[in-house]
Amino acid sequence: MKKEYFLGLDIGTNSVGFAATDERYRLIKYKGEPVWGSHLFDEASQSADRRSFRTARRRLDRRQQRISLVDEIFAPEVSMVDKNFYIRKQESALWEEDKNPLIQDKTYFFAKDSGYSDRQYHEEYPTIHHLLCDMVNNTEKKFDIRLLNLAVDWLVAHRGHFLSDIGSDNIDKVLDFGTIYDEFQSYFDINGIERPWRRTEPEKVGEILKLKGINQKKHQLTELLYDGRVSSSDGYPFDKKELIAFLAGGKVKCSKLFRDYEQEEDISISISDDMEVILPQLGDYADLVAKMAAMYDWSVLSDIKGDSNYISEAKVRQYDIHKKDLGNLKAFVRKYAKDKYYVMFRASSKDLKNYTAYSYNLKSVKGNSYPKGKASAEEFYSFLKKELQLDKIEVEDCDREFYEDMMTRISEDTFLPKQVNTDNRVIPYQLYLSELKKILDNASAHYSFLNEKDAEGYVNKEKLVQIFKFRIPYFVGPLRTDNTKYGWMRRKTDGIIRPWNFNEKVDIDASEDAFINRMTNTCTYIPGEKVLPKWSVLYSKFTVLNEINNITVNSMPIEVEAKQGIYNELFCKNAKVSVKRITDYLISTGRMQPADTLGGLDITVKSSLKPIYEFRHLLNNKALNMSDVEKIVERCTYTEDKLRYKSWLKRNYSSLSEDDLKYIGKLNYKDFGRLSAYFLNDLKGVNKDTGEMGTIIHFLWETNDNLMQILSDRYTFMEEISKLRREYYTEHPLSLNEQMDDMGISNAVKRPVTRTLAVVDDIVSSIGYAPKKIFVEMA
C-alpha cells in the first residue's frame, strides 16, 4: 500500500533544502537513506547587471551613426580636397603598423600634400575647443572643409544632456536659476506641504550655491533662510537641518532627511552623486531630490561657463589657466624641491598619483609602467601636498602670491583645471546646439552645399541640426518591424528613417500606444488583466481602505462609519495623513478617549489619496470628473517625455485654462500597482454570512475587512478567481517560463523556482507518487 508522505522545501536564491516525512513528521527513507538534503547552484545574475553594458554599447553605436550621417553630408565636398581623409580619420587611434597599408602618408588627419598638415592643426588648435571657439567667433574666415567636418563631428558626438525640456532656442531660461528654484518650491505647493523656508530670494541662494566648501555654503544658507538658526522640524516630513546640509553638498542619511523613509536599506546620499543610480532607490522622494540636484547642477554649470558666451570659450579659458598653473608649478618645484621634479612630472607606475596620472599624458611613459587609471583631482592634490610637503615649505616673498593662490585653489578644487572632467555631465545640449548653429551660419556664407536641398526638399544645414538634436523616443523603441518580440514601432510610410524625416516615416502616437500595451504588467490574481497605475484614483482608494480597515481602539475594530469618516474627512482633504491626525479625529468625534490605545496601524500611514487631493479644485469646479483624472494619471505614469505629456493634455483637455494645464503638467505620478481595475471593481463575490453581493472595493468600503479577509473562505471571490484562471490558461496555455515572465518574476527568483521543481520531480519519480502535502519556506 502507498504510504502518504509530506514534502518540505526551503528555497533560497542559490540553494534548495528538502525533507520528506511521514504524517507524524518522521523522515522517511528511500533505499535505506533518509530523504533529505540540499541542492546548491549559482545565484542567477540580474538583468540590471547586463543592462548598463548594453546601454553603453547602444549609446556608442548611436554616436557612430550620427557621425556617419554627418560625414555622408560632407563627403562630396571633402573628397574634392582629400579623398583619403575619412580613412585616416577612422584609423587615427590605431598604431602605425595597424593602419591601412595602401595609405602612403602616415598622418592622423591631413594629407601632407593637401595644403594643411597635422602639425599646423595641433599648433593652431591645441584642443577641439580652440577650433570651435575660432569658428564661432570668426565670421569672415573660410575654414578648411575638413576642419569644419571635424568640428561638427565632435559636436554631434559630445552634445550634452537632454534632461531639460526647455526649448533649444531659449538659452537664457536654461541658465536662469530662478526657473529651477521655482520648480523646487512648487514641489511643496503641489504636495500640500509647507515650504521649508519662507524667504524666496533665488539670486542670493544661487550665489551661495556657487561658493566652494560645504561648511561655508551650509552656514550661509542657514543665515539667509533661517537667520542663523534652523527652526524646529517636529511634525515636518523633512528634517530642515539635513535639507540644508544636502543642498550644500553634504552627505546625509535618507532616514534622517526623510522622516517617513520606508525603503528596506537606509542609504547615504549627496547631491553630487550619480542621480541615475540614486533616484530609483528613493521612491516618492525622488522628485524632490531631482529638483534639488538641478540647483546643484546649475551651480556647477555656472562655474564652468563663467562669463563666457559659449562653452568652448570657457573651455579655452580653462586650458589657459591649466597651462599657466602648470608652468608656475614646475618652476616652483624646480626651485623648492628639485629632487621631486622627476617623480612629480615624469615618473609613471601603476599606483603613482602624480601629474602624469592626473593629466594622463602618456607620451613620456616608457615600458609597461602605465598608471592604473586616471588620478582624480583629489588624489593628485593629496599626492602634491604630501610629496612636496607644501605645509612645511618656507616660501620666499616673491613666490608667496603664487603659493597662497595655489593652496587656496587646491582647497577649492580649482587648481590645474581640466577640460574633460565629470562636471561636463551638467552641460545641457542647448548650449552646444547654439555653437553648432553659429558655426553653420558662419560657414554657409563660404560653402554653398550647406544651403542646398536634397531630392526630398531638406536643406543640408538643417539636416545637420536635426542630426544633433535627434533622439529615438524611448516609447518608439528599436527602429525595426521584422520581429515583434524586440520591436513595436509603427510606420506611416516606407523608406529609410533619418533624423530629419523621422516624423514623416514613424507614427509616433501609434508607437506610443503599442509601447504602453506591451509594457504594462498583468494582475497578480487575474491573468490577462492590466494592472492599475499606483496613483490611479481606484488603486489609491484600495490602498487607503486596505490600511485603515485594520484600525482598532483597545484591540476592538472601529465602526464602519468611523472608518468612512476618516476616509472622507482626513484622506480626501490632506495630501498626507498621520497616525496623530487619525487619533485626534477619533477623539474629536467621541469614538475614542485620550487614554485609549489606537492599534492596527504602523508607525506611519503608508497610503494616501494623492490624486484626489491634487485634483480637488478641478473636481469641485466640474472642470474634470473622476474618469478624466484616471486618464490623466495613467498617461502621466506611462509618459516620461514631459513635452509630449503636456501636448497630450492640450489636445484632450483644451477646455482647461492655461494655468490649469500648467498645474497638471507639473504633477508627477510614477510606478504601478499589482492589481487590475477588473479585480477591484468588476469581479463579483458574495459574503457567505450575509448573502450580500458586491465587488472587492464595495466590501472594503462597507465593512472593515481588508483584502486578505475578503479573499478568505467567508467570501466567494477566490472561487471566482480560480474559475477565471482555469479558463484563461485553457485558452492561453503557457510554459513555466512564460508564466513567470507574465508575472514579472526576476531572474533571481526564476532559477530557484525551476531548480525546486526539478528537485520535486526527482523525489516524486524516486518514491513513485506525489506527496500528500508540500510545505514551502521562501523569502
Side-chain angles (χ1 to χ4, degrees):
M1 292 179 61
K2 291 182 179 180
K3 291 184 178 180
E4 302 287 1
Y5 70 97
F6 297 160
L7 178 59
L9 300 168
D10 184 353
I11 307 171
T13 56
N14 61 354
S15 67
V16 178
F18 60 90
T21 73
D22 60 22
E23 291 178 293
R24 297 178 63 184
Y25 299 102
R26 295 176 300 192
L27 284 173
I28 64 173
K29 292 186 177 182
Y30 174 72
K31 293 185 178 182
E33 295 294 331
V35 184
W36 72 334
S38 62
H39 170 58
L40 305 179
F41 49 89
D42 292 333
E43 185 174 343
S45 61
Q46 297 281 34
S47 299
D49 297 336
R50 289 293 309 155
R51 190 176 298 125
S52 59
F53 296 105
R54 188 169 65 251
T55 301
R57 188 166 60 247
R58 183 169 61 241
R59 184 181 294 120
L60 289 173
D61 287 344
R62 289 180 178 175
R63 175 188 291 182
Q64 292 302 319
Q65 289 171 7
R66 293 198 301 272
I67 292 174
S68 296
L69 289 171
V70 170
D71 291 347
E72 189 179 297
I73 294 172
F74 275 89
E77 292 291 320
V78 171
S79 61
M80 291 189 290
V81 178
D82 187 348
K83 63 180 180 179
N84 293 324
F85 173 72
Y86 292 115
I87 298 176
R88 282 194 299 274
K89 183 165 76 78
Q90 189 174 7
E91 298 180 345
S92 61
L94 301 179
W95 294 96
E96 292 297 323
E97 56 267 26
D98 294 330
K99 292 183 178 181
N100 192 328
L102 299 178
I103 306 299
Q104 297 298 318
D105 49 341
K106 303 296 183 181
T107 57
Y108 285 105
F109 295 120
F110 307 101
K112 292 178 180 178
D113 59 352
S114 64
Y116 195 78
S117 67
D118 284 346
R119 184 184 183 90
Q120 284 176 277
Y121 171 67
H122 290 300
E123 286 179 352
E124 195 171 355
Y125 305 112
T127 70
I128 189 67
H129 289 103
H130 286 77
L131 174 61
L132 295 174
C133 191
D134 194 15
M135 286 186 167
V136 164
N137 294 318
N138 198 330
T139 58
E140 303 299 326
K141 181 178 178 181
K142 181 179 180 179
F143 289 87
D144 189 298
I145 188 65
R146 293 166 298 178
L147 290 178
L148 182 61
N149 197 166
L150 287 174
V152 177
D153 276 351
W154 191 91
L155 284 169
V156 299
H158 308 83
R159 50 188 183 166
H161 71 71
F162 283 73
L163 299 177
S164 172
D165 55 8
I166 297 172
S168 57
D169 295 326
N170 201 344
I171 300 296
D172 292 337
K173 198 170 182 181
V174 173
L175 299 172
D176 178 35
F177 181 73
T179 303
I180 300 169
Y181 188 74
D182 288 343
E183 287 289 321
F184 165 72
Q185 295 281 39
S186 69
Y187 170 87
F188 301 95
D189 299 336
I190 290 173
N191 287 280
I193 303 171
E194 181 187 347
R195 292 186 177 187
W197 49 79
R198 295 286 184 183
R199 293 184 177 177
T200 53
E201 299 175 89
E203 299 82 7
K204 292 183 179 179
V205 174
E207 289 301 317
I208 294 172
L209 291 180
K210 288 196 288 185
L211 298 174
K212 302 295 181 181
I214 295 172
N215 289 331
Q216 184 181 5
K217 286 192 281 189
K218 191 191 303 184
H219 173 73
Q220 292 202 26
L221 284 171
T222 305
E223 286 288 337
L224 174 66
L225 302 173
Y226 293 109
D227 295 324
R229 185 176 181 180
V230 181
S231 59
S232 173
S233 299
D234 291 342
Y236 196 71
F238 313 110
D239 188 290
K240 295 177 181 177
K241 285 185 179 179
E242 296 294 317
L243 204 66
I244 291 290
F246 181 69
L247 192 57
K251 212 166 189 69
V252 300
K253 280 196 169 187
C254 286
S255 59
K256 290 186 177 180
L257 178 59
F258 311 115
R259 294 186 177 277
D260 295 339
Y261 187 71
E262 297 160 2
Q263 304 295 330
E264 291 182 10
E265 185 180 358
D266 184 14
I267 59 174
S268 295
I269 59 174
S270 87
I271 205 167
S272 59
D273 288 339
D274 184 353
M275 287 299 144
E276 288 187 8
V277 176
I278 295 298
L279 293 180
Q281 304 178 58
L282 299 181
D284 295 340
Y285 302 116
D287 193 33
L288 173 61
V289 172
K291 293 183 186 307
M292 295 177 75
M295 291 193 283
Y296 172 81
D297 288 350
W298 173 88
S299 68
V300 175
L301 178 61
S302 297
D303 190 46
I304 293 173
K305 190 172 181 294
D307 55 0
S308 303
N309 293 321
Y310 297 98
I311 288 292
S312 293
E313 291 178 358
K315 291 294 182 181
V316 169
R317 187 182 72 247
Q318 282 185 332
Y319 177 89
D320 293 338
I321 293 172
H322 185 108
K323 184 177 181 180
K324 182 180 178 182
D325 287 347
L326 181 59
N328 290 335
L329 179 62
K330 285 183 174 181
F332 184 85
V333 173
R334 286 193 187 99
K335 184 173 183 178
Y336 293 99
K338 192 173 183 179
D339 57 323
K340 302 290 185 181
Y341 188 89
Y342 179 82
V343 74
M344 182 61 63
F345 298 107
R346 299 292 184 200
S348 176
S349 69
K350 186 178 287 188
D351 299 317
L352 203 59
K353 303 299 181 184
N354 62 352
Y355 181 77
T356 305
Y358 174 63
S359 64
Y360 218 64
N361 184 352
L362 307 179
K363 291 180 181 178
S364 61
V365 174
K366 297 178 181 179
N368 295 317
S369 59
Y370 291 105
K372 191 174 183 179
K374 290 183 181 179
S376 65
E378 186 179 351
E379 290 172 330
F380 171 61
Y381 295 153
S382 177
F383 177 85
L384 181 64
K385 289 190 284 188
K386 182 179 178 181
E387 195 69 23
L388 299 183
Q389 295 185 327
L390 289 178
D391 295 335
K392 299 179 181 179
I393 289 181
E394 295 291 335
V395 182
E396 296 178 7
D397 291 342
C398 59
D399 299 315
R400 182 158 298 283
E401 183 180 353
F402 165 72
Y403 172 78
E404 291 177 351
D405 177 65
M406 175 176 64
M407 296 301 288
T408 300
R409 288 170 56 212
I410 284 176
S411 67
E412 296 176 348
D413 293 342
T414 58
F415 185 64
L416 283 169
K418 291 199 296 186
Q419 287 190 344
V420 180
N421 55 47
T422 55
D423 286 345
N424 288 347
R425 65 180 174 78
V426 307
I427 300 174
Y429 82 95
Q430 291 94 333
L431 298 185
Y432 277 132
L433 178 58
S434 68
E435 293 193 26
L436 175 65
K437 288 181 175 179
K438 180 66 174 174
I439 288 171
L440 292 176
D441 286 342
N442 293 344
S444 61
H446 306 287
Y447 291 102
S448 59
F449 83 96
L450 290 173
N451 298 314
E452 292 175 359
K453 292 183 179 180
D454 63 11
E456 295 179 329
Y458 297 104
V459 179
N460 283 331
K461 185 167 67 172
E462 290 303 318
K463 284 161 70 173
L464 292 169
V465 171
Q466 290 302 319
I467 292 170
F468 179 97
K469 293 167 62 176
F470 181 66
R471 298 169 73 216
I472 298 176
Y474 69 93
F475 52 81
V476 170
L479 302 183
R480 55 188 295 174
T481 56
D482 58 326
N483 190 334
T484 55
K485 183 178 180 181
Y486 298 110
W488 58 89
M489 181 193 70
R490 301 290 185 265
R491 278 180 172 270
K492 289 180 180 176
T493 59
D494 294 330
I496 298 175
I497 299 173
R498 298 297 196 200
W500 51 86
N501 67 8
F502 183 81
N503 290 330
E504 286 75 36
K505 299 292 184 183
V506 177
D507 190 331
I508 296 177
D509 293 330
S511 298
E512 186 172 21
D513 291 338
F515 168 77
I516 290 171
N517 292 330
R518 174 188 176 89
M519 299 306 292
T520 308
N521 286 333
T522 55
C523 181
T524 300
Y525 292 96
I526 304 178
E529 292 293 331
K530 295 178 182 178
V531 296
L532 288 164
K534 178 182 175 182
W535 292 111
S536 75
V537 175
L538 179 59
Y539 199 82
S540 298
K541 182 176 182 179
F542 156 72
T543 57
V544 169
L545 292 174
N546 197 46
E547 185 169 14
I548 64 177
N549 279 2
N550 300 315
I551 295 176
T552 61
V553 174
N554 296 332
S555 300
M556 295 296 292
I558 61 174
E559 298 172 356
V560 173
E561 292 79 6
K563 180 274 301 279
Q564 294 173 350
I566 292 171
Y567 181 94
N568 290 324
E569 298 300 323
L570 298 184
F571 282 91
C572 288
K573 297 179 180 179
N574 297 280
K576 194 76 174 172
V577 177
S578 64
V579 174
K580 184 178 183 301
R581 276 188 174 177
I582 293 175
T583 303
D584 291 344
Y585 174 80
L586 291 174
I587 291 173
S588 68
T589 55
R591 292 184 170 92
M592 179 178 174
Q593 299 302 316
D596 291 341
T597 302
L598 184 74
L601 293 174
D602 205 342
I603 297 172
T604 59
V605 178
K606 308 292 190 298
S607 55
S608 76
L609 293 177
K610 179 181 175 181
I612 292 178
Y613 175 80
E614 292 180 343
F615 283 94
R616 65 193 184 284
H617 65 286
L618 295 170
L619 291 168
N620 291 338
N621 62 22
K622 308 297 184 184
L624 295 174
N625 55 41
M626 283 295 184
S627 177
D628 294 328
V629 173
E630 287 283 34
K631 291 176 184 177
I632 291 171
V633 170
E634 181 182 39
R635 195 72 182 193
C636 182
T637 305
Y638 281 118
T639 305
E640 292 181 15
D641 189 333
K642 285 292 185 183
L643 291 177
R644 279 191 59 76
Y645 171 56
K646 291 174 181 177
S647 174
W648 178 86
L649 285 173
K650 287 183 178 180
R651 286 199 313 272
N652 291 274
Y653 299 96
S654 56
S655 60
L656 293 177
S657 67
E658 282 297 321
D659 288 341
D660 287 340
L661 288 171
K662 186 177 180 181
Y663 169 80
I664 297 172
K666 289 182 178 181
L667 299 178
N668 192 32
Y669 301 103
K670 294 181 180 179
D671 300 331
F672 290 85
R674 300 187 60 131
L675 307 174
S676 63
Y678 182 87
F679 173 79
L680 291 174
N681 211 28
D682 292 315
L683 181 67
K684 295 290 196 306
V686 176
N687 184 329
K688 295 177 182 178
D689 296 335
T690 64
E692 182 182 2
M693 176 180 283
T695 63
I696 287 177
I697 206 73
H698 166 82
F699 285 115
L700 284 169
W701 178 255
E702 296 295 341
T703 72
N704 279 348
D705 290 339
N706 60 31
L707 180 62
M708 289 299 100
Q709 291 170 317
I710 293 173
L711 295 181
S712 69
D713 292 341
R714 288 173 47 214
Y715 294 84
T716 63
F717 285 103
M718 282 308 298
E719 297 166 20
E720 295 296 324
I721 290 169
S722 297
K723 180 182 176 183
L724 289 171
R725 291 177 68 86
R726 283 195 302 272
E727 291 175 356
Y728 180 85
Y729 286 119
T730 299
E731 295 180 12
H732 307 85
L734 299 175
S735 67
L736 174 64
N737 281 331
E738 287 173 334
Q739 286 187 54
M740 289 193 288
D741 286 340
D742 199 36
M743 296 166 70
I745 291 176
S746 69
N747 290 341
V749 179
K750 283 181 183 178
R751 182 170 293 178
V753 169
T754 54
R755 293 301 178 94
T756 301
L757 290 176
V759 169
V760 174
D761 287 342
D762 191 38
I763 293 171
V764 171
S765 64
S766 299
I767 296 177
Y769 51 94
K772 183 179 180 181
K773 292 182 179 179
I774 295 179
F775 299 81
V776 176
E777 194 284 322
M778 187 176 188

